[in-house]
Amino acid sequence: MDPHFPNDHGNGRMGGPFHRHKSIHKLLGGGKVADILLWKDRNLSAGVLIAATLIWYLFEVVEYNIIPLLCQIAILAMLVIFIWSNAAPLLDIPPPRIPEVIISEHAFRQIAQTIHYKLAYTVDALYDIACGKDLKKFLLVIVSLLISSEVGSSYSFTSLLYLGFLCAHTLPALYERYETEVDHLAARGSEDIKRFYRRLDSNLLNKIPRGPVKTKLT
């Protein structure tokens, strides 16, 4: 018999310690990207994974440089268009037509505004954490940065990007399939971390003297 894991699905709310009110598909945007990440279309998701793996292989294993690779792709595309254009009258086929890809000024502005908003929000959040208003978040950020530093020094940037892609391409689908079990384990781990932090806070952190924190002027 499969083990039973308690959840909160019966009360109309997504279960687990993450307190979700939306499905994983909606949290990921609910569009084509969400379908790819959740493997709704297996052929398309597999194709994206194969393409990313090929790119990682070319840059990390074969050690291709981005400029020669782009130049060779452009040369190949120009040769194909040249042969196609000259053979079209002989074979009675239409010549190649390259669709125009136009990105509007409005789209550029939206992208810039989004990046500016995210950057400003991140800087503001890091400033609040660095001021020591929430010691738990401060320690968590410090530990996370130390771990990121160690991981970054052990792997190349290309491998880190590929690893991040693999996590984004597989973890949401695995979580959607084993949601109840993961939520149960996450809830137990969260309780263990809270108990450890309470002991650490009472035995060590409360004894650290801290001066008053100046509030920011808005």
Side-chain angles (χ1 to χ4, degrees):
M1 181 182 295
D2 294 334
H4 173 72
F5 297 97
N7 57 63
D8 300 323
H9 287 211
N11 59 6
R13 179 181 64 80
M14 290 296 179
F18 305 110
H19 305 292
R20 290 185 295 104
H21 296 267
K22 297 181 180 180
S23 65
I24 294 295
H25 189 267
K26 289 185 177 180
L27 287 175
L28 293 175
K32 197 66 176 180
V33 175
D35 292 339
I36 294 175
L37 295 178
L38 294 175
W39 291 74
K40 300 295 183 182
D41 187 339
R42 293 181 179 274
N43 293 331
L44 181 58
S45 297
V48 172
L49 179 60
I50 292 173
T53 303
L54 179 61
I55 293 174
W56 171 81
Y57 178 81
L58 288 175
F59 287 109
E60 188 66 21
V61 180
V62 183
E63 296 183 351
Y64 247 92
N65 191 289
I66 181 65
I67 295 179
L69 180 62
L70 292 178
C71 292
Q72 291 173 13
I73 292 175
I75 291 172
L76 179 62
M78 292 182 66
L79 287 175
V80 170
I81 294 174
F82 175 80
I83 296 173
W84 189 352
S85 299
N86 288 274
L90 301 176
L91 301 177
D92 196 20
I93 57 176
R97 296 185 180 275
I98 307 300
E100 294 184 1
V101 180
I102 301 175
I103 301 180
S104 65
E105 182 181 355
H106 178 68
F108 271 114
R109 288 183 176 179
Q110 280 191 327
I111 294 173
Q113 289 176 354
T114 302
I115 294 175
H116 175 267
Y117 171 78
K118 294 293 184 181
L119 182 60
Y121 176 81
T122 302
V123 171
D124 187 65
L126 289 176
Y127 175 82
D128 289 337
I129 294 172
C131 287
K133 296 179 180 179
D134 190 333
L135 192 56
K136 181 180 179 180
K137 288 183 179 180
F138 178 79
L139 294 176
L140 182 61
V141 170
I142 293 297
V143 172
S144 300
L145 291 175
L146 288 174
I147 294 175
S148 300
S149 176
E150 290 298 323
V151 173
S153 63
S154 302
Y155 299 93
S156 67
F157 183 68
T158 306
S159 294
L160 287 177
L161 285 179
Y162 181 65
L163 181 61
F165 169 80
L166 285 182
C167 291
H169 201 60
T170 56
L171 293 183
L174 291 175
Y175 176 73
E176 186 183 46
R177 183 173 182 179
Y178 302 104
E179 178 178 355
T180 306
E181 294 86 343
V182 173
D183 284 348
H184 175 70
L185 294 176
R188 291 181 58 184
S190 177
E191 290 299 323
D192 292 339
I193 293 175
K194 288 179 180 179
R195 284 195 296 267
F196 172 77
Y197 176 76
R198 283 195 293 267
R199 290 197 300 266
L200 181 65
D201 185 55
S202 60
N203 296 331
L204 178 62
L205 300 182
N206 282 336
K207 299 178 181 180
I208 300 176
R210 284 179 287 172
V213 178
K214 296 181 179 180
T215 58
K216 293 187 300 179
L217 297 177
T218 57

